[in-house]
Amino acid sequence: MRLVLTQFLRTLKERDEFDRLLPDLLLAMGYVPLAKPQTGVRQYGVDLAAVGTGDDGIEELLLLVIKRGDIGRRDWDNGEPQSVRPSLNDVFDIYIPKLIAPEHARLGKRVILATTGDLKQEVEINWTSYKENKASEAEFDFWGGDRVADLIERYMLDQNLFAADDRTDLHKALALVAESDYDFRDLSRLLLRQLGLNPDGGLKEAAEETRTLIKTLRRVHLASQICAHWARSEGDVRRALWVCERALLWSWHRILMVAANEREKLYPAFAGLWQSYVDAASDYVEVIQPHVVIRDGMAGYGGEGAEIAFVLFEHLGLLASAGLAALSEQDPEDEEQRKLVLANVHAVADLVATLIANNAALGSPRLDGHVVDINLALVLLVISGRIEVAKNWLATLIMRLDYTFRVKRKFPIGTDSLDDLVALDVDGQGDEELQGRLMSASWCLPTFAAWAVLLGLKDSFAMLAEGASSQYSNVCAQLWHPTPGWPTNWYFGGALEQGDTEAPIQIGDFEAMAARMQAFLKIEKYKWQDASPSVELGLFGVDFIACRHFRMPVPASFWYHLSYAGQDAGKQEGIERV
């Protein structure tokens, strides 16, 4: 395990990765960080300060100077202020005499040079000489990659909770991360054991104390980040994002099992998991952006086809859920932060719009479950003010759905089984029994019809209404609505059992459909967003991430509110509503 941790540490950047891990490590060691590192703010040598009791039982002040990689002669003093010696000089010339709070001035001081690598032999004499010259002012310590890995193993993986089975599963996950069809089942087993959960999401035994659960969440975070980094190193940011989603959602599921008055103590640990998801989503967007802006660039520069549709709709859902997650980060009391968040949301919405424009296959869902990704994308487009994009795409989706249902070929199958899809495309032409079975029920049909009402597309609605009454009247249009108690399994993956299915939905008259939707919004038990525990935390985006990750439809009680029929497409009121 120490070797795995050491290799993991070497992959971390100094900023926003290594310096984010160290505060958690110090907390586990019993130290209290005084301030977390801030990019762009001069630190005067000290990247992280913390107060706690040392091994000798005496309270001390730790002053960490954080670097990355091996430290050699050029890193020690190359004339740049960011090199090691000038940073250490700043600690003694400015930070200690000027910036230490009065209540900490009397404490013993220990300067720690922390890095993800090693101290090369060529600078050991420089380090030793520096320590001797400053010995009267502070103690010194060096935390290289091996030392930090040892500390992580001792303090963050203690009490044998990261036992032999967990270590084995983590090693398996890392060994198989490069396999494109690997589903991270080994990591999932590790997470279940760490969180004390059964495969169905229930608790195995009596709940842990809150303090113990905080450590558990940190271990879950560490294990997931090791796997995510390995996936990134293999060039697969998509799977790295998936790992962050799984750790985030299962951790939130576990937190909700704690008494409400105790949950706040767990929020700081959960915040780390959320930030890792945000970082992974940012990496993902950055990597795929150059492909999105090229015609068919996300489809391997090919055209349409079932396999291309799977890839495209997955990326569509990932982008849309990331955009909606970013939206939930805005702080209404911080105008500058809010502007930055909205800029990020609009940037992702632009990518979604470009992805749709450049990939025709996104007009032809092949699985009924692709409605999850379509709903997420439509919600993001509408609330970000891209109404015309949403209208044009929806019109295309409806036209193609109507055509494929009429000819009974290449329609989104209701079973979401890849074997059934292959059977339909290869041998299904003329097989009326197979076609009827795979067309027997549809989420896409009523979803597209309802969105046509919301966006005022009467002609498109009429197309579906005519087809649903004649050529494909055998298709049962249905929607699923979560019922009270839905958060119990929403973040674990079994929420479909806690809801009602509305079926069959009649698609006949435009005004009647609009009235039906308005009447539905008045039913208290279906008001999904009002019952969300994530709202209390200010991270409603977690609910959308769960929709995408566990393939659950975005509840109609949310998007039925997004009516833009007759509104000026230039207005961007959607974000204000959310």
Side-chain angles (χ1 to χ4, degrees):
M1 178 55 63
R2 192 172 302 175
L3 177 60
V4 170
L5 291 172
T6 301
Q7 293 175 333
F8 164 68
L9 290 169
R10 284 185 174 274
T11 69
L12 300 182
K13 295 181 292 187
E14 175 190 338
R15 293 298 176 200
D16 299 326
E17 293 187 346
F18 186 48
D19 60 1
R20 188 177 296 140
L21 171 65
L22 289 175
D24 287 340
L25 174 58
L26 290 171
L27 281 169
M29 295 171 65
Y31 289 86
V32 178
L34 300 179
K36 292 188 176 181
Q38 298 182 43
T39 303
V41 178
R42 187 176 178 186
Q43 308 294 328
Y44 297 102
V46 176
D47 296 291
L48 179 63
V51 173
T53 303
D55 294 336
D56 56 5
I58 300 175
E59 193 175 19
E60 63 178 345
L61 176 65
L62 299 187
L63 304 174
L64 276 73
V65 179
I66 302 173
K67 301 298 177 183
R68 182 186 184 277
D70 295 335
I71 295 177
R73 182 175 291 115
R74 295 187 62 182
D75 307 288
W76 177 257
D77 191 357
N78 59 11
E80 296 292 331
Q82 292 80 17
S83 53
V84 175
R85 194 172 188 277
S87 296
L88 292 171
N89 287 339
D90 277 349
V91 175
F92 290 96
D93 295 343
I94 302 174
Y95 194 92
I96 291 179
K98 299 292 185 182
L99 299 178
I100 293 178
E103 61 269 26
H104 300 139
R106 62 174 180 80
L107 301 179
K109 299 161 188 66
R110 181 150 58 110
V111 176
I112 298 175
L113 176 59
T115 181
T116 56
D118 299 315
L119 188 69
K120 292 184 177 180
Q121 187 176 4
E122 63 192 40
V123 295
E124 285 183 355
I125 186 63
N126 302 80
W127 172 239
T128 301
S129 177
Y130 196 93
K131 290 191 297 181
E132 291 175 351
N133 290 335
K134 299 290 185 180
S136 61
E137 300 179 55
E139 295 182 5
F140 288 84
D141 205 350
F142 175 74
W143 289 5
D146 292 337
R147 178 69 186 282
V148 175
D150 175 63
L151 292 172
I152 290 173
E153 191 171 28
R154 285 168 55 194
Y155 291 99
M156 298 180 75
L157 312 178
D158 58 352
Q159 302 178 16
N160 294 319
L161 291 179
F162 227 60
D165 289 345
D166 296 322
R167 295 169 188 242
T168 299
D169 282 336
L170 183 56
H171 285 136
K172 286 181 180 178
L174 298 180
L176 296 172
V177 72
E179 301 294 329
S180 60
D181 58 348
Y182 178 55
D183 59 2
F184 283 102
R185 64 186 62 186
D186 304 292
L187 176 64
S188 294
R189 279 199 303 267
L190 183 156
L191 297 182
L192 288 175
R193 278 196 299 269
Q194 284 293 312
L195 294 169
L197 299 174
N198 290 313
D200 63 358
L203 279 176
K204 283 186 177 179
E205 52 191 30
E208 297 175 316
E209 293 182 1
T210 304
R211 183 180 299 179
T212 303
L213 186 54
I214 291 173
K215 293 182 179 180
T216 294
L217 292 175
R218 289 183 184 142
R219 284 190 290 273
V220 165
H221 189 192
L222 177 62
S224 64
Q225 283 305 285
I226 291 174
C227 286
H229 273 280
W230 245 258
R232 287 192 198 100
S233 68
E234 294 292 335
D236 199 335
V237 291
R238 173 186 60 90
R239 284 152 62 77
L241 183 55
W242 185 94
V243 168
C244 292
E245 286 182 343
R246 175 56 58 91
L248 177 80
L249 295 169
W250 278 8
S251 295
W252 186 228
H253 171 77
R254 179 65 182 85
I255 289 172
L256 293 178
M257 295 179 171
V258 175
N261 61 344
E262 288 287 305
R263 291 175 192 167
E264 190 172 351
K265 299 175 183 177
L266 301 168
Y267 289 169
F270 184 72
L273 288 154
W274 172 259
Q275 187 59 51
S276 290
Y277 165 80
V278 171
D279 292 342
S282 178
D283 289 345
Y284 165 77
V285 170
E286 182 179 351
V287 168
I288 71 165
Q289 191 273 340
H291 304 284
V292 170
V293 298
I294 298 174
R295 185 76 179 177
D296 292 321
M298 292 297 294
Y301 309 100
E304 299 189 43
E307 68 282 359
I308 292 174
F310 295 151
V311 172
L312 286 171
F313 279 102
E314 180 180 16
H315 285 295
L316 180 71
L318 284 168
L319 271 177
S321 57
L324 293 170
L327 179 62
S328 69
E329 288 196 292
Q330 58 182 320
D331 182 354
E333 297 182 359
D334 187 338
E335 185 61 24
E336 289 302 316
Q337 185 266 359
R338 184 173 176 277
K339 288 180 180 178
L340 178 60
V341 166
L342 294 183
N344 291 337
V345 173
H346 285 296
V348 177
D350 282 339
L351 275 183
V352 168
T354 304
L355 180 68
I356 293 169
N358 283 337
N359 294 274
L362 284 174
S364 301
R366 296 307 317 276
L367 301 179
D368 202 38
H370 285 154
V371 75
V372 175
D373 310 298
I374 292 169
N375 253 333
L376 290 170
L378 283 171
V379 168
L380 179 63
L381 290 172
V382 168
I383 66 176
S384 63
R386 287 151 181 80
I387 312 303
E388 290 305 314
V389 174
K391 286 182 176 182
N392 293 335
W393 182 39
L394 180 62
T396 299
L397 287 166
I398 289 174
M399 179 187 66
R400 293 191 180 190
L401 182 71
D402 176 71
Y403 176 78
T404 56
F405 271 170
R406 287 176 184 274
V407 300
K408 298 181 180 180
R409 294 181 58 243
K410 298 187 182 302
F411 54 84
I413 63 172
T415 64
D416 283 354
S417 165
L418 299 185
D419 291 337
D420 285 341
L421 187 63
V422 171
L424 176 68
D425 284 358
V426 176
D427 304 314
Q429 191 169 357
D431 188 337
E432 293 186 2
E433 180 181 354
L434 177 63
Q435 293 169 345
R437 179 171 65 85
L438 298 182
M439 284 178 59
S440 61
S442 175
W443 284 346
C444 284
L445 180 56
T447 298
F448 293 175
W451 272 108
V453 171
L454 294 176
L455 298 177
L457 299 180
K458 292 188 176 182
D459 290 343
S460 294
F461 181 91
M463 184 185 299
L464 289 180
E466 194 280 326
S469 65
S470 58
Q471 298 283 0
Y472 42 93
S473 59
N474 60 312
V475 177
C476 178
Q478 60 183 27
L479 290 174
W480 175 84
H481 309 294
T483 50
W486 62 263
T488 303
N489 281 314
W490 189 267
Y491 310 100
F492 187 80
L496 288 178
E497 298 176 1
Q498 292 178 293
D500 294 338
T501 298
E502 181 186 8
I505 297 175
Q506 299 301 319
I507 303 172
D509 179 74
F510 185 92
E511 284 71 24
M513 183 80 169
R516 178 190 182 108
M517 293 162 63
Q518 288 299 316
F520 176 83
L521 289 176
K522 297 177 181 178
I523 303 175
E524 290 294 327
K525 75 171 185 175
Y526 294 132
K527 293 184 177 180
W528 174 62
Q529 61 272 27
D530 291 348
S532 170
S534 305
V535 172
E536 177 187 349
L537 193 61
L539 293 176
F540 188 55
V542 176
D543 296 349
F544 295 115
I545 296 170
C547 287
R548 194 217 71 80
H549 191 87
F550 298 121
R551 313 309 299 158
M552 297 181 295
V554 180
S557 62
F558 178 82
W559 50 272
Y560 272 8
H561 286 282
L562 303 179
S563 176
Y564 275 76
Q567 291 190 24
D568 180 359
K571 294 181 180 179
Q572 298 188 8
E573 299 174 0
I575 287 180
E576 303 301 330
R577 294 184 180 194
V578 177

